[in-house]
Amino acid sequence: MRKNIVAGNWKMNCSLPEGKKLASEVIHMVQDEVQNNAQIILIPPFIHLTGIHSLIGSSSNIFLGAQNCHQESNGAFTGEVSAAMLVSCGASHVILGHSERREYFHETDELLASKVKFALDNGLTPIFCCGEKLEVREAGNHENLVRSQVDEALFGLSEEEIQKVVIAYEPVWAIGTGKTASAEQAQEMHAFIRNQIASKYSQGVAEEISILYGGSVKPENAREIFSQADVDGGLIGGASLKSRDFTNIVKAFD
Ligand code: PEP
């Protein structure tokens, strides 16, 4: 059963005290105000995971995620963090393939396929990001590009495995730019991805997978985007750093 999800990717922002303040505010506002049962995922930098995990405590709808993990279990990989380490800090989710990792750290779909598999094998839910750059959309190649990202990184998974993955469609031209895809553009791409999964696996499998939209989601546009038939929530960057904005985005599901 597809779940509604709002995930906040803090990226490389917030000292530990700032992160704890932000998380506490979100947790309290969500508890006091939110009337829906969307899953909320807080995704701070690695070093804040344990601190934020203790604030989340036993909340049943707030989860902890990481922004990346390595594709090996352990070893001489200075500066890297394994999936098992994330689990030991309380993380249940991990973003994989964010466009910033693809762009600045040269992550390929082949590499991401191994990260996704490794995350799943360690009990983490991957939030797999896909999406096209502006020039690709302008050339009309966005569907082909997203098809190959999903195909190469996810379609080696079994039917059981892929149902545990969350997909985030994030047009790169909308990330951090203030320029949001229209609700129609988002719906079109989400339906495209869901159909692709249905063709490879089955309609039943495709219906199990939450597909989030990411790219300049704000309290003002969240309701319209989230109301689209194939949009199951959002991956939120900038607005996740403001507790009021992030909570109001979650409330778009009320
Ligand atoms: C993101 O980085 O995944 C993102 C969607 O950022 P923003 O909301 O700031 O566009």
Side-chain angles (χ1 to χ4, degrees):
M1 194 34 194
R2 286 150 62 180
K3 292 177 212 73
N4 290 331
I5 297 172
V6 181
N9 174 14
W10 296 3
K11 309 193 185 186
M12 196 175 74
N13 291 297
C14 296
S15 64
L16 181 57
E18 287 165 349
K20 283 183 162 177
K21 180 169 178 287
L22 173 59
S24 302
E25 287 172 3
V26 169
I27 292 164
H28 286 116
M29 286 182 193
V30 163
Q31 280 164 352
D32 292 348
E33 302 173 23
V34 171
Q35 284 166 12
N36 61 69
N37 57 6
Q39 287 191 352
I40 294 144
I41 311 168
L42 302 181
I43 312 180
F46 290 140
I47 54 166
H48 303 345
L49 285 171
T50 313
I52 306 298
H53 184 242
S54 58
L55 295 175
I56 294 174
S58 57
S59 164
S60 59
N61 61 336
I62 305 182
F63 297 84
L64 185 68
Q67 299 173 17
N68 179 35
C69 72
H70 196 261
Q71 67 279 11
E72 305 280 342
S73 53
N74 60 279
F77 301 104
T78 303
E80 291 292 331
V81 172
S82 76
M85 290 173 192
L86 298 179
V87 172
S88 75
C89 294
S92 51
H93 294 71
V94 61
I95 298 176
L96 294 172
H98 190 279
S99 62
E100 288 151 16
R101 303 261 350 147
R102 292 174 184 267
E103 176 82 10
Y104 306 136
F105 301 95
H106 314 294
E107 295 198 351
T108 62
D109 289 308
E110 192 187 356
L111 172 73
L112 293 169
S114 39
K115 289 193 177 198
V116 166
K117 177 80 176 109
F118 215 76
L120 285 167
D121 287 347
N122 282 275
L124 285 171
T125 299
I127 303 174
F128 172 75
C129 301
C130 56
E132 78 285 355
K133 290 185 180 172
L134 186 59
E135 60 267 27
V136 175
R137 177 159 283 261
E138 284 176 347
N141 285 330
H142 45 292
E143 290 187 349
N144 284 340
L145 190 275
V146 169
R147 181 192 291 116
S148 75
Q149 289 176 328
V150 170
D151 186 345
E152 287 175 34
L154 300 184
F155 283 1
L157 298 174
S158 69
E159 203 169 282
E160 197 189 343
E161 287 169 332
I162 197 159
Q163 293 181 60
K164 297 181 184 155
V165 175
V166 172
I167 296 177
Y169 168 64
E170 300 206 300
V172 181
W173 46 271
I175 295 180
T177 58
K179 195 172 169 183
T180 320
S182 66
E184 293 72 29
Q185 285 172 319
Q187 167 56 24
E188 199 175 76
M189 287 307 289
H190 284 228
F192 175 79
I193 295 166
R194 203 177 300 284
N195 286 337
Q196 187 190 352
I197 297 165
S199 307
K200 168 75 182 174
Y201 295 90
S202 68
Q203 193 63 42
V205 168
E207 287 301 328
E208 289 297 313
I209 298 178
S210 297
I211 307 179
L212 314 184
Y213 168 78
S216 298
V217 176
K218 307 179 218 32
E220 300 74 39
N221 58 24
R223 196 174 294 274
E224 192 192 359
I225 295 172
F226 294 175
S227 68
Q228 301 301 306
D230 286 288
V231 177
D232 304 306
L235 179 54
I236 320 298
S240 73
L241 298 172
K242 295 182 187 143
S243 52
R244 174 42 60 205
D245 284 0
F246 186 68
T247 307
N248 284 351
I249 291 171
V250 179
K251 286 165 76 175
F253 279 116
D254 282 358

mmCIF file of all heavy atoms in Angstrom, residues 48-92:
data_model
loop_
_atom_site.group_PDB
_atom_site.id
_atom_site.type_symbol
_atom_site.label_atom_id
_atom_site.label_comp_id
_atom_site.label_asym_id
_atom_site.label_seq_id
_atom_site.Cartn_x
_atom_site.Cartn_y
_atom_site.Cartn_z
ATOM 1 N N HIS A 48 24.780 14.017 12.915
ATOM 2 C CA HIS A 48 23.670 14.384 13.806
ATOM 3 C C HIS A 48 22.670 13.248 13.995
ATOM 4 O O HIS A 48 21.697 13.389 14.740
ATOM 5 C CB HIS A 48 22.904 15.593 13.249
ATOM 6 C CG HIS A 48 23.740 16.816 13.019
ATOM 7 N ND1 HIS A 48 24.991 16.978 13.549
ATOM 8 C CD2 HIS A 48 23.479 17.952 12.321
ATOM 9 C CE1 HIS A 48 25.477 18.144 13.177
ATOM 10 N NE2 HIS A 48 24.583 18.758 12.428
ATOM 11 N N LEU A 49 22.897 12.125 13.320
ATOM 12 C CA LEU A 49 21.871 11.072 13.340
ATOM 13 C C LEU A 49 21.525 10.629 14.763
ATOM 14 O O LEU A 49 20.352 10.572 15.134
ATOM 15 C CB LEU A 49 22.339 9.866 12.514
ATOM 16 C CG LEU A 49 22.283 10.042 10.987
ATOM 17 C CD1 LEU A 49 22.979 8.878 10.285
ATOM 18 C CD2 LEU A 49 20.843 10.155 10.498
ATOM 19 N N THR A 50 22.541 10.324 15.542
ATOM 20 C CA THR A 50 22.266 9.792 16.883
ATOM 21 C C THR A 50 21.531 10.819 17.737
ATOM 22 O O THR A 50 20.578 10.481 18.444
ATOM 23 C CB THR A 50 23.593 9.394 17.572
ATOM 24 O OG1 THR A 50 24.347 8.643 16.637
ATOM 25 C CG2 THR A 50 23.356 8.550 18.795
ATOM 26 N N GLY A 51 21.988 12.068 17.650
ATOM 27 C CA GLY A 51 21.354 13.130 18.451
ATOM 28 C C GLY A 51 19.894 13.330 18.063
ATOM 29 O O GLY A 51 19.023 13.505 18.929
ATOM 30 N N ILE A 52 19.611 13.292 16.774
ATOM 31 C CA ILE A 52 18.224 13.504 16.336
ATOM 32 C C ILE A 52 17.398 12.254 16.645
ATOM 33 O O ILE A 52 16.224 12.347 17.013
ATOM 34 C CB ILE A 52 18.163 13.823 14.814
ATOM 35 C CG1 ILE A 52 19.069 15.007 14.445
ATOM 36 C CG2 ILE A 52 16.722 14.071 14.371
ATOM 37 C CD1 ILE A 52 18.747 16.324 15.071
ATOM 38 N N HIS A 53 18.036 11.095 16.550
ATOM 39 C CA HIS A 53 17.297 9.860 16.848
ATOM 40 C C HIS A 53 16.769 9.875 18.272
ATOM 41 O O HIS A 53 15.631 9.487 18.537
ATOM 42 C CB HIS A 53 18.218 8.648 16.639
ATOM 43 C CG HIS A 53 17.515 7.342 16.834
ATOM 44 N ND1 HIS A 53 17.863 6.440 17.798
ATOM 45 C CD2 HIS A 53 16.442 6.811 16.201
ATOM 46 C CE1 HIS A 53 17.048 5.397 17.742
ATOM 47 N NE2 HIS A 53 16.178 5.606 16.783
ATOM 48 N N SER A 54 17.570 10.368 19.205
ATOM 49 C CA SER A 54 17.099 10.364 20.599
ATOM 50 C C SER A 54 15.937 11.347 20.790
ATOM 51 O O SER A 54 15.094 11.150 21.658
ATOM 52 C CB SER A 54 18.241 10.636 21.571
ATOM 53 O OG SER A 54 18.818 11.871 21.262
ATOM 54 N N LEU A 55 15.855 12.375 19.953
ATOM 55 C CA LEU A 55 14.723 13.306 20.062
ATOM 56 C C LEU A 55 13.445 12.688 19.494
ATOM 57 O O LEU A 55 12.350 12.901 20.010
ATOM 58 C CB LEU A 55 15.019 14.601 19.296
ATOM 59 C CG LEU A 55 16.165 15.459 19.830
ATOM 60 C CD1 LEU A 55 16.412 16.633 18.899
ATOM 61 C CD2 LEU A 55 15.838 15.957 21.226
ATOM 62 N N ILE A 56 13.611 11.927 18.428
ATOM 63 C CA ILE A 56 12.430 11.306 17.794
ATOM 64 C C ILE A 56 11.807 10.273 18.729
ATOM 65 O O ILE A 56 10.591 10.133 18.814
ATOM 66 C CB ILE A 56 12.812 10.643 16.444
ATOM 67 C CG1 ILE A 56 13.244 11.711 15.439
ATOM 68 C CG2 ILE A 56 11.650 9.819 15.881
ATOM 69 C CD1 ILE A 56 13.787 11.168 14.117
ATOM 70 N N GLY A 57 12.660 9.580 19.471
ATOM 71 C CA GLY A 57 12.178 8.601 20.446
ATOM 72 C C GLY A 57 11.296 7.559 19.799
ATOM 73 O O GLY A 57 11.626 7.008 18.747
ATOM 74 N N SER A 58 10.147 7.321 20.403
ATOM 75 C CA SER A 58 9.303 6.223 19.923
ATOM 76 C C SER A 58 8.145 6.705 19.045
ATOM 77 O O SER A 58 7.165 5.995 18.856
ATOM 78 C CB SER A 58 8.767 5.434 21.110
ATOM 79 O OG SER A 58 8.074 6.341 21.938
ATOM 80 N N SER A 59 8.271 7.921 18.510
ATOM 81 C CA SER A 59 7.208 8.445 17.643
ATOM 82 C C SER A 59 6.928 7.443 16.513
ATOM 83 O O SER A 59 7.850 6.913 15.902
ATOM 84 C CB SER A 59 7.664 9.786 17.050
ATOM 85 O OG SER A 59 6.838 10.117 15.970
ATOM 86 N N SER A 60 5.654 7.209 16.258
ATOM 87 C CA SER A 60 5.336 6.155 15.292
ATOM 88 C C SER A 60 5.325 6.648 13.852
ATOM 89 O O SER A 60 5.351 5.847 12.920
ATOM 90 C CB SER A 60 3.982 5.538 15.628
ATOM 91 O OG SER A 60 3.009 6.554 15.596
ATOM 92 N N ASN A 61 5.276 7.958 13.637
ATOM 93 C CA ASN A 61 5.207 8.419 12.233
ATOM 94 C C ASN A 61 6.413 9.279 11.826
ATOM 95 O O ASN A 61 6.464 9.783 10.712
ATOM 96 C CB ASN A 61 3.908 9.196 11.980
ATOM 97 C CG ASN A 61 3.813 10.430 12.839
ATOM 98 O OD1 ASN A 61 4.434 10.500 13.902
ATOM 99 N ND2 ASN A 61 3.057 11.417 12.403
ATOM 100 N N ILE A 62 7.385 9.459 12.726
ATOM 101 C CA ILE A 62 8.574 10.236 12.357
ATOM 102 C C ILE A 62 9.777 9.292 12.307
ATOM 103 O O ILE A 62 10.044 8.550 13.251
ATOM 104 C CB ILE A 62 8.829 11.390 13.353
ATOM 105 C CG1 ILE A 62 7.572 12.265 13.473
ATOM 106 C CG2 ILE A 62 10.037 12.226 12.920
ATOM 107 C CD1 ILE A 62 7.708 13.457 14.380
ATOM 108 N N PHE A 63 10.465 9.340 11.179
ATOM 109 C CA PHE A 63 11.583 8.425 10.944
ATOM 110 C C PHE A 63 12.859 9.225 10.704
ATOM 111 O O PHE A 63 12.818 10.441 10.462
ATOM 112 C CB PHE A 63 11.283 7.544 9.728
ATOM 113 C CG PHE A 63 10.072 6.662 9.933
ATOM 114 C CD1 PHE A 63 8.791 7.162 9.695
ATOM 115 C CD2 PHE A 63 10.211 5.365 10.375
ATOM 116 C CE1 PHE A 63 7.670 6.363 9.894
ATOM 117 C CE2 PHE A 63 9.096 4.552 10.576
ATOM 118 C CZ PHE A 63 7.833 5.059 10.332
ATOM 119 N N LEU A 64 13.975 8.508 10.735
ATOM 120 C CA LEU A 64 15.278 9.132 10.555
ATOM 121 C C LEU A 64 15.929 8.577 9.293
ATOM 122 O O LEU A 64 15.918 7.367 9.060
ATOM 123 C CB LEU A 64 16.144 8.808 11.775
ATOM 124 C CG LEU A 64 17.507 9.459 11.860
ATOM 125 C CD1 LEU A 64 17.372 10.976 12.074
ATOM 126 C CD2 LEU A 64 18.313 8.855 13.025
ATOM 127 N N GLY A 65 16.500 9.464 8.502
ATOM 128 C CA GLY A 65 17.173 9.011 7.285
ATOM 129 C C GLY A 65 18.556 9.622 7.171
ATOM 130 O O GLY A 65 18.882 10.604 7.835
ATOM 131 N N ALA A 66 19.366 9.018 6.296
ATOM 132 C CA ALA A 66 20.694 9.558 5.995
ATOM 133 C C ALA A 66 20.714 9.999 4.535
ATOM 134 O O ALA A 66 19.828 9.635 3.752
ATOM 135 C CB ALA A 66 21.754 8.494 6.247
ATOM 136 N N GLN A 67 21.729 10.765 4.195
ATOM 137 C CA GLN A 67 21.770 11.372 2.860
ATOM 138 C C GLN A 67 22.546 10.549 1.841
ATOM 139 O O GLN A 67 22.578 10.881 0.659
ATOM 140 C CB GLN A 67 22.365 12.784 2.967
ATOM 141 C CG GLN A 67 21.542 13.704 3.840
ATOM 142 C CD GLN A 67 22.197 15.055 4.093
ATOM 143 O OE1 GLN A 67 23.117 15.453 3.386
ATOM 144 N NE2 GLN A 67 21.728 15.754 5.106
ATOM 145 N N ASN A 68 23.188 9.482 2.298
ATOM 146 C CA ASN A 68 24.005 8.670 1.405
ATOM 147 C C ASN A 68 24.531 7.502 2.212
ATOM 148 O O ASN A 68 24.489 7.526 3.447
ATOM 149 C CB ASN A 68 25.191 9.514 0.896
ATOM 150 C CG ASN A 68 26.124 8.745 -0.025
ATOM 151 O OD1 ASN A 68 25.693 7.907 -0.804
ATOM 152 N ND2 ASN A 68 27.416 9.019 0.079
ATOM 153 N N CYS A 69 25.016 6.464 1.554
ATOM 154 C CA CYS A 69 25.833 5.463 2.233
ATOM 155 C C CYS A 69 26.747 4.803 1.211
ATOM 156 O O CYS A 69 26.562 4.958 0.000
ATOM 157 C CB CYS A 69 24.992 4.431 2.976
ATOM 158 S SG CYS A 69 24.128 3.262 1.931
ATOM 159 N N HIS A 70 27.746 4.098 1.721
ATOM 160 C CA HIS A 70 28.703 3.419 0.849
ATOM 161 C C HIS A 70 28.152 2.055 0.434
ATOM 162 O O HIS A 70 27.227 1.547 1.073
ATOM 163 C CB HIS A 70 30.047 3.283 1.586
ATOM 164 C CG HIS A 70 31.180 2.965 0.667
ATOM 165 N ND1 HIS A 70 31.660 1.681 0.499
ATOM 166 C CD2 HIS A 70 31.909 3.751 -0.153
ATOM 167 C CE1 HIS A 70 32.651 1.708 -0.388
ATOM 168 N NE2 HIS A 70 32.824 2.953 -0.798
ATOM 169 N N GLN A 71 28.717 1.504 -0.619
ATOM 170 C CA GLN A 71 28.201 0.242 -1.162
ATOM 171 C C GLN A 71 28.943 -0.995 -0.644
ATOM 172 O O GLN A 71 28.684 -2.103 -1.107
ATOM 173 C CB GLN A 71 28.228 0.274 -2.693
ATOM 174 C CG GLN A 71 29.592 0.311 -3.344
ATOM 175 C CD GLN A 71 30.206 1.715 -3.374
ATOM 176 O OE1 GLN A 71 29.703 2.643 -2.735
ATOM 177 N NE2 GLN A 71 31.302 1.855 -4.100
ATOM 178 N N GLU A 72 29.863 -0.782 0.302
ATOM 179 C CA GLU A 72 30.559 -1.929 0.911
ATOM 180 C C GLU A 72 30.209 -1.965 2.399
ATOM 181 O O GLU A 72 29.830 -0.954 2.976
ATOM 182 C CB GLU A 72 32.088 -1.760 0.793
ATOM 183 C CG GLU A 72 32.597 -1.534 -0.611
ATOM 184 C CD GLU A 72 32.709 -2.805 -1.424
ATOM 185 O OE1 GLU A 72 32.713 -3.897 -0.828
ATOM 186 O OE2 GLU A 72 32.764 -2.699 -2.658
ATOM 187 N N SER A 73 30.418 -3.128 3.019
ATOM 188 C CA SER A 73 30.006 -3.236 4.425
ATOM 189 C C SER A 73 30.994 -2.579 5.383
ATOM 190 O O SER A 73 30.603 -2.073 6.428
ATOM 191 C CB SER A 73 29.797 -4.692 4.812
ATOM 192 O OG SER A 73 30.934 -5.434 4.477
ATOM 193 N N ASN A 74 32.262 -2.608 5.066
ATOM 194 C CA ASN A 74 33.269 -1.964 5.931
ATOM 195 C C ASN A 74 34.600 -1.986 5.196
ATOM 196 O O ASN A 74 34.696 -2.559 4.111
ATOM 197 C CB ASN A 74 33.410 -2.699 7.273
ATOM 198 C CG ASN A 74 33.826 -4.140 7.079
ATOM 199 O OD1 ASN A 74 32.995 -4.991 6.778
ATOM 200 N ND2 ASN A 74 35.108 -4.397 7.199
ATOM 201 N N GLY A 75 35.592 -1.357 5.782
ATOM 202 C CA GLY A 75 36.917 -1.433 5.180
ATOM 203 C C GLY A 75 37.594 -0.087 5.040
ATOM 204 O O GLY A 75 37.182 0.903 5.654
ATOM 205 N N ALA A 76 38.650 -0.057 4.231
ATOM 206 C CA ALA A 76 39.501 1.120 4.101
ATOM 207 C C ALA A 76 38.893 2.101 3.102
ATOM 208 O O ALA A 76 39.330 2.207 1.951
ATOM 209 C CB ALA A 76 40.904 0.687 3.666
ATOM 210 N N PHE A 77 37.840 2.779 3.533
ATOM 211 C CA PHE A 77 37.157 3.767 2.687
ATOM 212 C C PHE A 77 37.019 5.048 3.492
ATOM 213 O O PHE A 77 35.933 5.394 3.989
ATOM 214 C CB PHE A 77 35.787 3.239 2.246
ATOM 215 C CG PHE A 77 35.867 1.958 1.471
ATOM 216 C CD1 PHE A 77 35.536 0.756 2.059
ATOM 217 C CD2 PHE A 77 36.308 1.953 0.151
ATOM 218 C CE1 PHE A 77 35.631 -0.434 1.348
ATOM 219 C CE2 PHE A 77 36.409 0.768 -0.568
ATOM 220 C CZ PHE A 77 36.076 -0.429 0.035
ATOM 221 N N THR A 78 38.134 5.724 3.650
ATOM 222 C CA THR A 78 38.196 6.896 4.523
ATOM 223 C C THR A 78 37.100 7.907 4.199
ATOM 224 O O THR A 78 36.923 8.277 3.038
ATOM 225 C CB THR A 78 39.589 7.566 4.388
ATOM 226 O OG1 THR A 78 40.570 6.592 4.717
ATOM 227 C CG2 THR A 78 39.721 8.775 5.303
ATOM 228 N N GLY A 79 36.397 8.300 5.225
ATOM 229 C CA GLY A 79 35.367 9.326 5.061
ATOM 230 C C GLY A 79 34.008 8.777 4.693
ATOM 231 O O GLY A 79 33.052 9.536 4.575
ATOM 232 N N GLU A 80 33.909 7.474 4.501
ATOM 233 C CA GLU A 80 32.623 6.888 4.083
ATOM 234 C C GLU A 80 31.881 6.276 5.265
ATOM 235 O O GLU A 80 32.452 6.036 6.329
ATOM 236 C CB GLU A 80 32.863 5.820 3.006
ATOM 237 C CG GLU A 80 33.342 6.395 1.690
ATOM 238 C CD GLU A 80 32.276 7.224 0.967
ATOM 239 O OE1 GLU A 80 31.085 6.942 1.133
ATOM 240 O OE2 GLU A 80 32.649 8.167 0.247
ATOM 241 N N VAL A 81 30.594 6.009 5.053
ATOM 242 C CA VAL A 81 29.733 5.468 6.102
ATOM 243 C C VAL A 81 28.933 4.310 5.510
ATOM 244 O O VAL A 81 28.396 4.420 4.409
ATOM 245 C CB VAL A 81 28.794 6.583 6.622
ATOM 246 C CG1 VAL A 81 27.759 6.031 7.573
ATOM 247 C CG2 VAL A 81 29.603 7.689 7.306
ATOM 248 N N SER A 82 28.872 3.202 6.237
ATOM 249 C CA SER A 82 28.175 2.023 5.698
ATOM 250 C C SER A 82 26.707 2.009 6.103
ATOM 251 O O SER A 82 26.295 2.677 7.063
ATOM 252 C CB SER A 82 28.840 0.741 6.195
ATOM 253 O OG SER A 82 28.480 0.511 7.540
ATOM 254 N N ALA A 83 25.952 1.179 5.398
ATOM 255 C CA ALA A 83 24.523 1.048 5.693
ATOM 256 C C ALA A 83 24.313 0.533 7.116
ATOM 257 O O ALA A 83 23.443 1.020 7.844
ATOM 258 C CB ALA A 83 23.877 0.109 4.674
ATOM 259 N N ALA A 84 25.113 -0.444 7.517
ATOM 260 C CA ALA A 84 24.943 -1.003 8.869
ATOM 261 C C ALA A 84 25.221 0.063 9.936
ATOM 262 O O ALA A 84 24.578 0.083 10.995
ATOM 263 C CB ALA A 84 25.866 -2.199 9.052
ATOM 264 N N MET A 85 26.185 0.938 9.673
ATOM 265 C CA MET A 85 26.459 2.019 10.639
ATOM 266 C C MET A 85 25.241 2.926 10.781
ATOM 267 O O MET A 85 24.898 3.360 11.888
ATOM 268 C CB MET A 85 27.651 2.860 10.168
ATOM 269 C CG MET A 85 28.976 2.160 10.229
ATOM 270 S SD MET A 85 30.214 3.221 9.447
ATOM 271 C CE MET A 85 31.551 2.067 9.311
ATOM 272 N N LEU A 86 24.607 3.212 9.654
ATOM 273 C CA LEU A 86 23.412 4.079 9.691
ATOM 274 C C LEU A 86 22.308 3.430 10.522
ATOM 275 O O LEU A 86 21.681 4.081 11.358
ATOM 276 C CB LEU A 86 22.907 4.356 8.273
ATOM 277 C CG LEU A 86 23.873 5.093 7.350
ATOM 278 C CD1 LEU A 86 23.244 5.278 5.973
ATOM 279 C CD2 LEU A 86 24.269 6.447 7.934
ATOM 280 N N VAL A 87 22.118 2.145 10.292
ATOM 281 C CA VAL A 87 21.081 1.432 11.066
ATOM 282 C C VAL A 87 21.420 1.486 12.551
ATOM 283 O O VAL A 87 20.543 1.716 13.394
ATOM 284 C CB VAL A 87 20.966 -0.035 10.570
ATOM 285 C CG1 VAL A 87 20.044 -0.843 11.471
ATOM 286 C CG2 VAL A 87 20.459 -0.067 9.129
ATOM 287 N N SER A 88 22.701 1.341 12.871
ATOM 288 C CA SER A 88 23.094 1.340 14.296
ATOM 289 C C SER A 88 22.881 2.705 14.942
ATOM 290 O O SER A 88 22.837 2.816 16.163
ATOM 291 C CB SER A 88 24.555 0.891 14.446
ATOM 292 O OG SER A 88 25.435 1.922 14.049
ATOM 293 N N CYS A 89 22.755 3.746 14.133
ATOM 294 C CA CYS A 89 22.479 5.097 14.669
ATOM 295 C C CYS A 89 20.983 5.409 14.662
ATOM 296 O O CYS A 89 20.581 6.530 14.981
ATOM 297 C CB CYS A 89 23.204 6.162 13.844
ATOM 298 S SG CYS A 89 24.976 6.078 13.954
ATOM 299 N N GLY A 90 20.167 4.454 14.231
ATOM 300 C CA GLY A 90 18.725 4.668 14.276
ATOM 301 C C GLY A 90 18.095 5.037 12.948
ATOM 302 O O GLY A 90 16.892 5.313 12.889
ATOM 303 N N ALA A 91 18.886 5.063 11.878
ATOM 304 C CA ALA A 91 18.304 5.434 10.579
ATOM 305 C C ALA A 91 17.500 4.261 10.006
ATOM 306 O O ALA A 91 17.877 3.096 10.149
ATOM 307 C CB ALA A 91 19.402 5.825 9.592
ATOM 308 N N SER A 92 16.402 4.607 9.372
ATOM 309 C CA SER A 92 15.583 3.588 8.691
ATOM 310 C C SER A 92 15.575 3.826 7.179
ATOM 311 O O SER A 92 15.167 2.958 6.418
ATOM 312 C CB SER A 92 14.150 3.628 9.218
ATOM 313 O OG SER A 92 13.658 4.959 9.170
#
